[in-house]
Amino acid sequence: MSFISKWAGLLGLLAVIVIGDQIRINRPGHKYRLTVEVTTPDGIKTGSGVLAVVPDRNYNRGGRTTMRGEAVFVELGQDGGKGKNLVALLAHQQGGKLDLDDINYVALRAYGAARGNRVSFNDISRQAGIVPVQGELIPVLVSFCDPKDPKTARLVAADHADTVLGNGYAIRALTAEVVPNGVWPIDFGGVLGEPVTRGIEAKLPWTGAPGEAAATALKAAGLPLVGTTDAQEAFARK
């Protein structure tokens, strides 16, 4: 074997090891579909999104479990010629603060509550069925009078949605369902696995732009202020 061929083989092996390790590090621990159902004067409207939860498998995350996905946008139809909507953010409000990490554990805790026993992080990907997301597990809900304008955000109470959305509107249910991880990173759908849901920019166009639009939306909804980067994570995470 020539010197060049030997080194080419070693470099190829190194590349395979590096790529394999990156797949190991970044492959989701589990994925779940968060579904929001809203009762409206025109019937039940539904929106859902697949979220991926990635446990810390490397030193560079500082031990923090991370999330990939986007807020769930529900089209509620027209009311007097004006579109209505509901958005379930990737955030919870706890003790006067905005928590961006609890969304990682919604499925884990929802299955535990439904089963009546604790479900471990390693076992969550093997859970089956659809379970309710209730109480403190419900993420922050907001609505936009004009989805193109972050200043029109309004906080929606899960038990009194009609206060913001109007008569005949109510949160019917939120549910979680573990879906297959698939062959990450080529989980494009079908037998390859459920892909993470994308497309929030088509609904809320300012979410893809740099700047303080996301922070403006949170402020308009009366939510606790966070940094610009953190505010963006309430709507989308890569």
Side-chain angles (χ1 to χ4, degrees):
M1 180 182 293
S2 69
F3 178 81
I4 295 177
S5 297
K6 178 180 178 180
W7 277 103
L10 290 174
L11 289 174
L13 177 60
L14 179 61
V16 169
I17 292 173
V18 170
I19 292 171
D21 193 49
Q22 287 302 304
I23 291 175
R24 177 191 67 82
I25 291 171
N26 292 290
R27 185 176 189 270
H30 68 272
K31 297 178 184 175
Y32 71 94
R33 179 180 288 106
L34 180 64
T35 299
V36 182
E37 298 180 3
V38 183
T39 300
T40 79
D42 297 321
I44 297 171
K45 306 294 183 179
T46 303
S48 65
V50 173
L51 305 171
V53 180
V54 184
D56 177 56
R57 301 189 185 101
N58 199 10
Y59 303 109
N60 59 10
R61 288 201 187 103
R64 183 188 178 194
T65 296
T66 57
M67 160 75 65
R68 299 189 193 113
E70 297 179 339
V72 177
F73 190 101
V74 188
E75 297 274 8
L76 300 180
Q78 299 289 322
D79 183 13
K82 189 175 183 180
K84 286 184 177 288
N85 57 78
L86 183 75
V87 184
L89 301 183
L90 304 179
H92 290 76
Q93 192 171 1
Q94 302 285 356
K97 296 182 179 180
L98 202 64
D99 190 309
L100 298 172
D101 289 329
D102 271 7
I103 194 70
N104 301 331
Y105 308 103
V106 164
L108 184 77
R109 292 167 179 166
Y111 276 92
R115 305 289 190 255
N117 61 278
R118 182 178 178 273
V119 176
S120 74
F121 202 93
N122 291 333
D123 289 336
I124 184 63
S125 62
R126 292 188 285 272
Q127 301 301 307
I130 299 173
V131 294
V133 174
Q134 301 172 323
E136 294 183 353
L137 296 182
I138 297 176
V140 174
L141 305 174
V142 299
S143 180
F144 292 87
C145 297
D146 180 359
K148 296 180 181 179
D149 185 354
K151 296 190 297 294
T152 66
R154 298 293 181 268
L155 186 65
V156 177
D159 53 350
H160 292 292
D162 57 324
T163 302
V164 172
L165 299 177
N167 292 332
Y169 291 85
I171 308 301
R172 183 171 185 266
L174 280 83
T175 60
E177 178 187 14
V178 168
V179 299
N181 261 347
V183 191
W184 191 89
I186 56 171
D187 46 354
F188 302 140
V191 296
L192 296 177
E194 294 276 358
V196 168
T197 303
R198 298 295 181 188
I200 193 69
E201 291 180 29
K203 308 295 185 180
L204 304 173
W206 42 268
T207 56
E212 299 184 357
T216 297
L218 298 182
K219 182 179 180 180
L223 292 165
L225 295 180
V226 294
T228 299
T229 300
D230 288 344
Q232 292 172 340
E233 288 193 349
F235 295 90
R237 305 185 195 180
K238 302 300 183 184

